[in-house]
Short mmCIF file of all heavy atoms in Angstrom, two decimals:
data_model
loop_
_atom_site.label_atom_id
_atom_site.label_comp_id
_atom_site.label_asym_id
_atom_site.label_seq_id
_atom_site.Cartn_x
_atom_site.Cartn_y
_atom_site.Cartn_z
N SER A 1 0.84 -1.14 -0.02
CA SER A 1 0.00 -0.02 0.01
C SER A 1 0.86 1.23 0.04
O SER A 1 1.63 1.46 0.96
CB SER A 1 -0.87 0.03 1.24
OG SER A 1 -1.66 1.11 1.28
N PHE A 2 0.85 2.06 -1.07
CA PHE A 2 1.67 3.16 -1.13
C PHE A 2 1.01 4.35 -1.82
O PHE A 2 0.07 4.15 -2.59
CB PHE A 2 3.01 2.80 -1.91
CG PHE A 2 2.81 2.41 -3.38
CD1 PHE A 2 2.86 3.37 -4.29
CD2 PHE A 2 2.50 1.11 -3.68
CE1 PHE A 2 2.65 3.02 -5.65
CE2 PHE A 2 2.15 0.79 -5.00
CZ PHE A 2 2.32 1.75 -5.99
N LEU A 3 1.58 5.53 -1.64
CA LEU A 3 1.14 6.69 -2.37
C LEU A 3 2.39 7.36 -3.00
O LEU A 3 3.56 7.33 -2.38
CB LEU A 3 0.50 7.73 -1.47
CG LEU A 3 -0.71 7.32 -0.80
CD1 LEU A 3 -1.14 8.46 0.22
CD2 LEU A 3 -1.87 7.08 -1.85
N ILE A 4 2.29 7.94 -4.08
CA ILE A 4 3.28 8.77 -4.75
C ILE A 4 2.83 10.19 -4.69
O ILE A 4 1.66 10.47 -5.13
CB ILE A 4 3.62 8.36 -6.17
CG1 ILE A 4 4.05 6.92 -6.28
CG2 ILE A 4 4.64 9.29 -6.83
CD1 ILE A 4 5.28 6.55 -5.61
N VAL A 5 3.64 11.06 -4.14
CA VAL A 5 3.21 12.56 -3.98
C VAL A 5 4.25 13.38 -4.77
O VAL A 5 5.43 13.38 -4.47
CB VAL A 5 3.17 12.89 -2.49
CG1 VAL A 5 2.73 14.38 -2.41
CG2 VAL A 5 2.18 12.02 -1.72
N GLY A 6 3.78 14.12 -5.66
CA GLY A 6 4.54 15.12 -6.41
C GLY A 6 4.20 16.48 -5.87
O GLY A 6 3.09 16.81 -5.69
N VAL A 7 5.35 17.24 -5.65
CA VAL A 7 5.17 18.62 -5.10
C VAL A 7 5.72 19.59 -6.14
O VAL A 7 6.83 19.44 -6.61
CB VAL A 7 5.92 18.66 -3.77
CG1 VAL A 7 5.79 20.13 -3.22
CG2 VAL A 7 5.52 17.68 -2.77
N TYR A 8 4.99 20.69 -6.33
CA TYR A 8 5.51 21.77 -7.19
C TYR A 8 4.95 23.03 -6.61
O TYR A 8 3.76 23.32 -6.58
CB TYR A 8 4.96 21.61 -8.61
CG TYR A 8 5.51 22.73 -9.52
CD1 TYR A 8 6.78 22.73 -9.93
CD2 TYR A 8 4.68 23.73 -9.93
CE1 TYR A 8 7.34 23.76 -10.74
CE2 TYR A 8 5.16 24.79 -10.70
CZ TYR A 8 6.48 24.79 -11.14
OH TYR A 8 7.00 25.82 -11.88
N VAL A 9 5.84 23.86 -6.01
CA VAL A 9 5.58 25.07 -5.34
C VAL A 9 4.49 24.82 -4.23
O VAL A 9 4.86 24.23 -3.19
CB VAL A 9 5.18 26.23 -6.26
CG1 VAL A 9 4.98 27.54 -5.51
CG2 VAL A 9 6.12 26.39 -7.44
N ASP A 10 3.22 25.18 -4.49
CA ASP A 10 2.19 24.93 -3.46
C ASP A 10 1.13 23.94 -3.96
O ASP A 10 0.08 23.96 -3.38
CB ASP A 10 1.64 26.23 -2.99
CG ASP A 10 0.90 26.99 -4.10
OD1 ASP A 10 1.05 26.54 -5.27
OD2 ASP A 10 0.26 28.00 -3.84
N ASP A 11 1.45 23.21 -4.93
CA ASP A 11 0.52 22.13 -5.42
C ASP A 11 1.03 20.73 -5.18
O ASP A 11 2.20 20.53 -5.08
CB ASP A 11 0.39 22.31 -6.94
CG ASP A 11 -0.35 23.50 -7.38
OD1 ASP A 11 -1.17 24.01 -6.62
OD2 ASP A 11 -0.03 24.11 -8.49
N LEU A 12 0.10 19.82 -4.92
CA LEU A 12 0.43 18.43 -4.72
C LEU A 12 -0.35 17.62 -5.72
O LEU A 12 -1.53 17.88 -6.03
CB LEU A 12 -0.01 17.92 -3.29
CG LEU A 12 0.68 18.57 -2.08
CD1 LEU A 12 0.00 17.99 -0.82
CD2 LEU A 12 2.10 18.36 -2.08
N ILE A 13 0.31 16.57 -6.21
CA ILE A 13 -0.34 15.58 -6.99
C ILE A 13 -0.18 14.29 -6.18
O ILE A 13 0.97 13.83 -5.86
CB ILE A 13 0.26 15.35 -8.38
CG1 ILE A 13 0.11 16.65 -9.23
CG2 ILE A 13 -0.36 14.22 -9.17
CD1 ILE A 13 0.73 16.57 -10.60
N ILE A 14 -1.28 13.67 -5.94
CA ILE A 14 -1.26 12.41 -5.10
C ILE A 14 -1.80 11.24 -5.94
O ILE A 14 -2.89 11.40 -6.49
CB ILE A 14 -2.20 12.59 -3.79
CG1 ILE A 14 -1.77 13.88 -3.06
CG2 ILE A 14 -2.02 11.39 -2.92
CD1 ILE A 14 -2.82 14.31 -2.12
N SER A 15 -1.00 10.22 -5.99
CA SER A 15 -1.46 9.05 -6.75
C SER A 15 -1.18 7.78 -5.99
O SER A 15 -0.22 7.72 -5.24
CB SER A 15 -0.63 9.06 -8.14
OG SER A 15 -1.06 8.04 -8.88
N GLY A 16 -2.00 6.79 -6.27
CA GLY A 16 -1.77 5.51 -5.64
C GLY A 16 -2.87 4.50 -6.01
O GLY A 16 -3.90 4.91 -6.56
N PRO A 17 -2.75 3.26 -5.77
CA PRO A 17 -3.77 2.23 -6.20
C PRO A 17 -5.02 2.16 -5.28
O PRO A 17 -6.01 1.64 -5.73
CB PRO A 17 -2.95 0.92 -6.04
CG PRO A 17 -1.94 1.17 -5.01
CD PRO A 17 -1.57 2.62 -5.17
N CYS A 18 -5.01 2.78 -4.14
CA CYS A 18 -6.19 2.71 -3.22
C CYS A 18 -6.76 4.16 -2.95
O CYS A 18 -6.03 4.96 -2.35
CB CYS A 18 -5.68 2.03 -1.92
SG CYS A 18 -7.04 1.95 -0.69
N VAL A 19 -7.95 4.34 -3.41
CA VAL A 19 -8.50 5.61 -3.20
C VAL A 19 -8.68 5.93 -1.72
O VAL A 19 -8.49 7.12 -1.33
CB VAL A 19 -9.95 5.70 -3.87
CG1 VAL A 19 -10.70 6.93 -3.59
CG2 VAL A 19 -9.83 5.48 -5.45
N GLY A 20 -8.95 4.97 -0.88
CA GLY A 20 -9.02 5.17 0.49
C GLY A 20 -7.76 5.74 1.13
O GLY A 20 -7.84 6.66 2.06
N ASP A 21 -6.65 5.29 0.65
CA ASP A 21 -5.36 5.79 1.22
C ASP A 21 -5.18 7.26 0.76
O ASP A 21 -4.61 8.11 1.48
CB ASP A 21 -4.21 4.99 0.71
CG ASP A 21 -4.16 3.62 1.25
OD1 ASP A 21 -4.79 3.35 2.26
OD2 ASP A 21 -3.40 2.73 0.63
N ILE A 22 -5.59 7.65 -0.45
CA ILE A 22 -5.50 8.99 -0.92
C ILE A 22 -6.34 9.89 -0.12
O ILE A 22 -5.94 10.99 0.34
CB ILE A 22 -5.90 9.09 -2.42
CG1 ILE A 22 -4.84 8.38 -3.23
CG2 ILE A 22 -5.98 10.59 -2.88
CD1 ILE A 22 -5.24 8.16 -4.75
N VAL A 23 -7.61 9.46 0.18
CA VAL A 23 -8.57 10.23 1.02
C VAL A 23 -8.01 10.51 2.39
O VAL A 23 -8.04 11.60 2.93
CB VAL A 23 -9.97 9.56 1.08
CG1 VAL A 23 -10.81 10.22 2.11
CG2 VAL A 23 -10.58 9.55 -0.30
N GLN A 24 -7.41 9.41 3.01
CA GLN A 24 -6.87 9.50 4.35
C GLN A 24 -5.72 10.51 4.36
O GLN A 24 -5.51 11.30 5.22
CB GLN A 24 -6.38 8.15 4.83
CG GLN A 24 -5.81 8.11 6.23
CD GLN A 24 -6.74 8.64 7.33
OE1 GLN A 24 -7.87 8.34 7.27
NE2 GLN A 24 -6.24 9.43 8.22
N PHE A 25 -4.84 10.42 3.33
CA PHE A 25 -3.61 11.36 3.24
C PHE A 25 -4.07 12.83 3.11
O PHE A 25 -3.60 13.64 3.85
CB PHE A 25 -2.77 10.93 2.02
CG PHE A 25 -1.62 11.84 1.78
CD1 PHE A 25 -0.48 11.73 2.65
CD2 PHE A 25 -1.58 12.76 0.90
CE1 PHE A 25 0.59 12.61 2.46
CE2 PHE A 25 -0.58 13.65 0.66
CZ PHE A 25 0.60 13.48 1.51
N LYS A 26 -5.14 13.05 2.30
CA LYS A 26 -5.67 14.38 2.13
C LYS A 26 -6.27 14.82 3.54
O LYS A 26 -6.05 16.08 3.86
CB LYS A 26 -6.72 14.50 1.04
CG LYS A 26 -6.08 14.32 -0.32
CD LYS A 26 -7.06 14.69 -1.40
CE LYS A 26 -7.92 13.69 -1.87
NZ LYS A 26 -8.75 14.02 -3.00
N LEU A 27 -6.92 14.06 4.24
CA LEU A 27 -7.47 14.49 5.54
C LEU A 27 -6.31 14.85 6.57
O LEU A 27 -6.44 15.79 7.26
CB LEU A 27 -8.33 13.37 6.16
CG LEU A 27 -9.71 13.12 5.51
CD1 LEU A 27 -10.35 11.86 6.04
CD2 LEU A 27 -10.60 14.35 5.60
N GLU A 28 -5.26 14.02 6.51
CA GLU A 28 -4.10 14.35 7.34
C GLU A 28 -3.45 15.65 7.02
O GLU A 28 -3.08 16.45 7.87
CB GLU A 28 -3.05 13.18 7.25
CG GLU A 28 -3.51 11.87 7.87
CD GLU A 28 -2.54 10.75 7.64
OE1 GLU A 28 -1.29 11.04 7.54
OE2 GLU A 28 -2.96 9.56 7.60
N MET A 29 -3.32 15.85 5.72
CA MET A 29 -2.69 17.14 5.23
C MET A 29 -3.57 18.33 5.58
O MET A 29 -3.08 19.39 5.96
CB MET A 29 -2.47 17.07 3.70
CG MET A 29 -1.46 16.01 3.27
SD MET A 29 0.11 16.29 4.00
CE MET A 29 0.73 17.70 3.07
N LYS A 30 -4.92 18.23 5.47
CA LYS A 30 -5.82 19.34 5.83
C LYS A 30 -5.76 19.68 7.29
O LYS A 30 -6.04 20.79 7.67
CB LYS A 30 -7.23 19.01 5.40
CG LYS A 30 -7.48 19.06 3.94
CD LYS A 30 -8.86 18.70 3.56
CE LYS A 30 -9.20 18.79 2.06
NZ LYS A 30 -10.51 18.53 1.71
N LYS A 31 -5.43 18.72 8.15
CA LYS A 31 -5.28 19.02 9.60
C LYS A 31 -4.05 19.84 9.86
O LYS A 31 -4.05 20.60 10.83
CB LYS A 31 -5.16 17.66 10.39
CG LYS A 31 -6.59 16.96 10.50
CD LYS A 31 -6.37 15.64 11.29
CE LYS A 31 -7.64 14.90 11.34
NZ LYS A 31 -7.49 13.67 12.03
N LYS A 32 -3.05 19.71 9.06
CA LYS A 32 -1.70 20.43 9.28
C LYS A 32 -1.62 21.66 8.51
O LYS A 32 -0.90 22.54 8.91
CB LYS A 32 -0.57 19.42 8.93
CG LYS A 32 -0.48 18.21 9.89
CD LYS A 32 0.68 17.36 9.57
CE LYS A 32 0.75 16.21 10.50
NZ LYS A 32 2.08 15.62 10.59
N PHE A 33 -2.28 21.67 7.29
CA PHE A 33 -2.12 22.81 6.46
C PHE A 33 -3.40 23.38 5.96
O PHE A 33 -4.33 22.57 5.81
CB PHE A 33 -1.26 22.51 5.19
CG PHE A 33 0.06 21.90 5.55
CD1 PHE A 33 0.28 20.49 5.50
CD2 PHE A 33 1.15 22.67 5.89
CE1 PHE A 33 1.44 19.96 5.82
CE2 PHE A 33 2.41 22.11 6.22
CZ PHE A 33 2.55 20.78 6.12
N SER A 34 -3.52 24.62 5.64
CA SER A 34 -4.64 25.30 5.04
C SER A 34 -4.60 24.85 3.57
O SER A 34 -3.64 25.27 2.83
CB SER A 34 -4.63 26.75 5.18
OG SER A 34 -5.78 27.33 4.51
N MET A 35 -5.51 24.03 3.09
CA MET A 35 -5.49 23.61 1.69
C MET A 35 -6.90 23.36 1.15
O MET A 35 -7.86 23.18 1.91
CB MET A 35 -4.67 22.35 1.53
CG MET A 35 -5.08 21.15 2.26
SD MET A 35 -4.07 19.74 2.01
CE MET A 35 -4.92 18.88 0.65
N SER A 36 -6.95 23.39 -0.17
CA SER A 36 -8.19 23.03 -0.77
C SER A 36 -7.93 21.83 -1.66
O SER A 36 -6.87 21.65 -2.21
CB SER A 36 -8.77 24.17 -1.60
OG SER A 36 -7.80 24.64 -2.49
N ASP A 37 -8.97 21.06 -1.92
CA ASP A 37 -8.99 19.92 -2.71
C ASP A 37 -9.64 20.22 -4.06
O ASP A 37 -10.86 20.45 -4.15
CB ASP A 37 -9.64 18.73 -2.04
CG ASP A 37 -9.58 17.40 -2.86
OD1 ASP A 37 -9.09 17.40 -3.93
OD2 ASP A 37 -10.00 16.44 -2.25
N LEU A 38 -8.91 20.26 -5.13
CA LEU A 38 -9.43 20.53 -6.53
C LEU A 38 -9.92 19.34 -7.23
O LEU A 38 -10.29 19.45 -8.38
CB LEU A 38 -8.37 21.23 -7.26
CG LEU A 38 -7.88 22.60 -6.64
CD1 LEU A 38 -6.82 23.22 -7.56
CD2 LEU A 38 -9.01 23.55 -6.45
N GLY A 39 -9.93 18.16 -6.63
CA GLY A 39 -10.48 16.96 -7.20
C GLY A 39 -9.44 16.30 -8.16
O GLY A 39 -8.26 16.44 -7.98
N LEU A 40 -9.98 15.57 -9.10
CA LEU A 40 -9.13 14.88 -10.08
C LEU A 40 -8.30 15.91 -10.91
O LEU A 40 -8.70 17.00 -11.26
CB LEU A 40 -9.93 14.07 -11.07
CG LEU A 40 -10.52 12.77 -10.54
CD1 LEU A 40 -11.41 12.15 -11.60
CD2 LEU A 40 -9.52 11.81 -10.07
N LEU A 41 -7.05 15.56 -11.12
CA LEU A 41 -6.15 16.34 -11.88
C LEU A 41 -6.65 16.59 -13.30
O LEU A 41 -6.98 15.67 -14.01
CB LEU A 41 -4.74 15.65 -11.95
CG LEU A 41 -3.66 16.40 -12.70
CD1 LEU A 41 -3.30 17.66 -11.88
CD2 LEU A 41 -2.43 15.49 -12.84
N SER A 42 -6.70 17.88 -13.70
CA SER A 42 -7.18 18.17 -15.05
C SER A 42 -6.23 19.03 -15.81
O SER A 42 -6.18 19.04 -17.00
CB SER A 42 -8.53 18.90 -14.96
OG SER A 42 -8.44 20.09 -14.25
N TYR A 43 -5.33 19.78 -15.11
CA TYR A 43 -4.34 20.62 -15.73
C TYR A 43 -3.21 20.81 -14.82
O TYR A 43 -3.36 21.11 -13.62
CB TYR A 43 -5.01 22.00 -16.02
CG TYR A 43 -4.28 22.77 -17.04
CD1 TYR A 43 -4.50 22.60 -18.41
CD2 TYR A 43 -3.39 23.85 -16.72
CE1 TYR A 43 -3.78 23.32 -19.38
CE2 TYR A 43 -2.74 24.64 -17.63
CZ TYR A 43 -2.89 24.32 -19.03
OH TYR A 43 -2.32 25.09 -19.92
N TYR A 44 -1.92 20.59 -15.30
CA TYR A 44 -0.77 20.72 -14.46
C TYR A 44 0.46 21.11 -15.28
O TYR A 44 0.75 20.41 -16.29
CB TYR A 44 -0.56 19.38 -13.68
CG TYR A 44 0.40 19.47 -12.56
CD1 TYR A 44 0.16 20.18 -11.45
CD2 TYR A 44 1.66 18.95 -12.67
CE1 TYR A 44 1.06 20.24 -10.35
CE2 TYR A 44 2.68 19.02 -11.72
CZ TYR A 44 2.29 19.74 -10.50
OH TYR A 44 3.25 19.82 -9.52
N LEU A 45 1.09 22.18 -14.91
CA LEU A 45 2.35 22.61 -15.58
C LEU A 45 2.21 22.66 -17.06
O LEU A 45 3.05 22.31 -17.87
CB LEU A 45 3.46 21.64 -15.23
CG LEU A 45 3.90 21.54 -13.79
CD1 LEU A 45 5.01 20.45 -13.54
CD2 LEU A 45 4.29 22.85 -13.22
#
C-alpha cells in the first residue's frame, strides 16, 4: 500500500492504487495545512 506525492511550489499531485489511502492522506494534510482539494487532476504545468 503506497502513495506517490509530487510537489510543485504549493501544489500536490497524489497518486496510488487505493482511493481510501488517498482520501486519508488528504485528511491528514488538511489537519496540518490550510489547503483546498481541487479533485481529479485536469491541468498541471
Side-chain angles (χ1 to χ4, degrees):
S1 176
F2 65 92
L3 295 176
I4 303 294
V5 180
V7 180
Y8 181 75
V9 186
D10 61 352
D11 291 328
L12 297 177
I13 296 177
I14 307 162
S15 181
C18 178
V19 174
D21 290 345
I22 294 171
V23 170
Q24 179 61 37
F25 178 76
K26 289 194 276 187
L27 290 172
E28 291 174 29
M29 295 300 288
K30 285 181 180 182
K31 287 181 182 176
K32 294 184 180 199
F33 304 100
S34 174
M35 63 178 265
S36 57
D37 184 352
L38 301 178
L40 287 177
L41 182 66
S42 60
Y43 198 82
Y44 192 73
L45 298 177

